[in-house]
Amino acid sequence: GAGGSGYGSGPAPGYGTSYPAPRYNGAGAPANVQLGQKDLSDGGDSSKGKKPSIALQALNKNVLMWAGFFTASLFVYFLMSGKDFSFLMTYGAMSRMFGFGILNLKTFKSQRATGVSVKTLQLYSIVFFVRLTSIVRHEGYLPYDKSGDWLYHFIEIMALIFSASALYGCMVPFKATYQSECDRFGEFSVPPGFGALYLAVPVLILAMLLHPNLNSDWFSDVAWTYAMYLESFAMIPQLYMFQKQANGVVELMTAHFVAALGFGRIMEFIFWVYSYQELVTMSGSKGPGYMALFSQFVQLALMVDFFWYYITAVKNATPLVLPSSNAASNMV
């Protein structure tokens, strides 16, 4: 409850070792990306009786990676938390950290920044940093269970390190492979690369005007609220970049990164559905709680299409291909 102690409850996109780069037919669609084909390694029946296909190997890696995450989640839940409902906050944070870990693996192993939005990384780095300025000083927005004692802080610190590391990789050693021509969200009346300001500044003003008071400290309350609101919009440049890519093919590891962040948001949304009434202003208004729910719902609604194509791609062990959208070009 309220009172400051916590909550009541370059080149064409590569595929690492998983897939060959797609070929394109005259219509501009990937010629060798066939959802549902049984073998991507040679496209024929000659693979029968031979070693497992590249697609099957990739599927096994997908299963192992997510199985490892869920196993770690169970370990943390049973041994490092109080099994309280507020653990969903910690679980959501774990999923975000997992996602940025995947992105670092993809970036530094392949030595490519293709398909990654620097603007999204900038916004998430702000989110983690600003949130930490609040939760390391006060306890009002921490989980009730013992994961809020130190584990939640550790996860957020690691997420900040991972997001900053990925941003560094995209902007310094692998900048030559960064697709700035596709990462153009908000490139209107601002210097190139500063489009994220169209999200960061208005959201900051909103947080200053509408924020809860659990920490009884204006700066700390606004900082936590700003991180909450901004995280709901931080994925927009990445989704916009997906739409701007001509072939619609999303690298598998990048897709896992986005999916992990989306899964974490689902966990937090479930928590806030039952706990939003704790986010009240000094006057007792539940406006911040309603805004928290609304902003998270908007993020999940924007990701519905992505989740559908992601699940289909993982299930069929094929590259993730998003449909092109001319409407994306009308976004600012």
Side-chain angles (χ1 to χ4, degrees):
S5 60
Y7 290 118
S9 338
Y15 302 93
T17 59
S18 300
Y19 301 108
R23 303 186 304 274
Y24 300 96
N25 56 29
N32 65 330
V33 175
Q34 300 292 330
L35 295 180
Q37 69 185 39
K38 294 183 179 180
D39 193 339
L40 293 177
S41 58
D42 58 20
D45 295 331
S46 60
S47 61
K48 294 181 179 179
K50 296 183 179 180
K51 63 180 181 180
S53 67
I54 295 176
L56 183 58
Q57 293 174 24
L59 178 60
N60 291 337
K61 290 179 181 178
N62 298 338
V63 171
L64 287 174
M65 184 169 60
W66 281 98
F69 168 69
F70 289 124
T71 300
S73 302
L74 291 174
F75 174 83
V76 171
Y77 177 73
F78 285 107
L79 298 180
M80 303 180 72
S81 80
K83 303 178 184 178
D84 185 82
F85 183 69
S86 62
F87 175 74
L88 284 176
M89 289 185 65
T90 305
Y91 196 19
M94 286 179 60
S95 188
R96 287 193 298 267
M97 181 184 69
F98 172 62
F100 279 100
I102 292 174
L103 184 60
N104 274 269
L105 179 64
K106 168 254 190 291
T107 303
F108 288 95
K109 185 176 180 180
S110 67
Q111 298 187 346
R112 294 181 176 211
T114 51
V116 179
S117 169
V118 162
K119 294 182 177 67
T120 284
L121 297 182
Q122 291 170 341
L123 292 172
Y124 267 104
S125 295
I126 294 172
V127 166
F128 295 131
F129 176 79
V130 172
R131 182 182 288 133
L132 280 166
T133 65
S134 175
I135 65 174
V136 299
R137 297 171 57 235
H138 299 92
E139 299 180 352
Y141 300 98
L142 292 174
Y144 254 149
D145 69 353
K146 62 183 181 181
S147 68
D149 294 341
W150 64 271
L151 181 62
Y152 187 78
H153 302 76
F154 173 76
I155 292 172
E156 288 290 294
I157 290 171
M158 291 305 300
L160 173 60
I161 292 173
F162 285 162
S163 63
S165 174
L167 180 59
Y168 167 79
C170 291
M171 294 304 296
V172 181
F174 315 124
K175 186 175 182 179
T177 64
Y178 165 54
Q179 297 171 304
S180 59
E181 71 280 3
C182 296
D183 191 17
R184 297 188 61 82
F185 177 88
E187 299 281 323
F188 178 76
S189 300
V190 294
F194 284 81
L197 289 174
Y198 280 103
L199 293 172
V201 174
V203 172
L204 175 59
I205 296 172
L206 177 61
M208 294 171 67
L209 296 175
L210 190 63
H211 58 269
N213 193 46
L214 290 181
N215 283 338
S216 300
D217 180 281
W218 188 87
F219 178 83
S220 182
D221 288 322
V222 169
W224 183 89
T225 307
Y226 181 46
M228 159 70 79
Y229 292 167
L230 187 59
E231 185 178 351
S232 297
F233 300 99
M235 189 55 68
I236 291 179
Q238 182 66 68
L239 298 176
Y240 177 78
M241 187 175 185
F242 286 160
Q243 296 290 344
K244 294 291 287 184
Q245 290 177 307
N247 52 53
V249 178
V250 179
E251 295 186 48
L252 193 58
M253 294 295 278
T254 306
H256 287 318
F257 154 66
V258 175
L261 267 58
F263 178 76
R265 208 49 163 166
I266 291 173
M267 295 297 101
E268 290 197 334
F269 181 69
I270 294 172
F271 172 78
W272 287 115
V273 164
Y274 292 96
S275 308
Y276 72 93
Q277 56 267 58
E278 299 219 8
L279 299 179
V280 297
T281 63
M282 290 184 66
S283 63
S285 169
K286 294 182 180 178
Y290 293 131
M291 181 56 66
L293 283 180
F294 175 74
S295 62
Q296 292 180 68
F297 176 80
V298 168
Q299 178 185 359
L300 295 177
L302 289 172
M303 296 184 69
V304 166
D305 277 356
F306 170 83
F307 278 129
W308 172 258
Y309 288 102
Y310 172 78
I311 293 171
T312 300
V314 172
K315 181 177 66 175
N316 296 329
T318 58
L320 193 157
V321 184
L322 295 174
S324 299
S325 174
N326 293 330
S329 62
N330 297 324
M331 294 177 62
V332 174

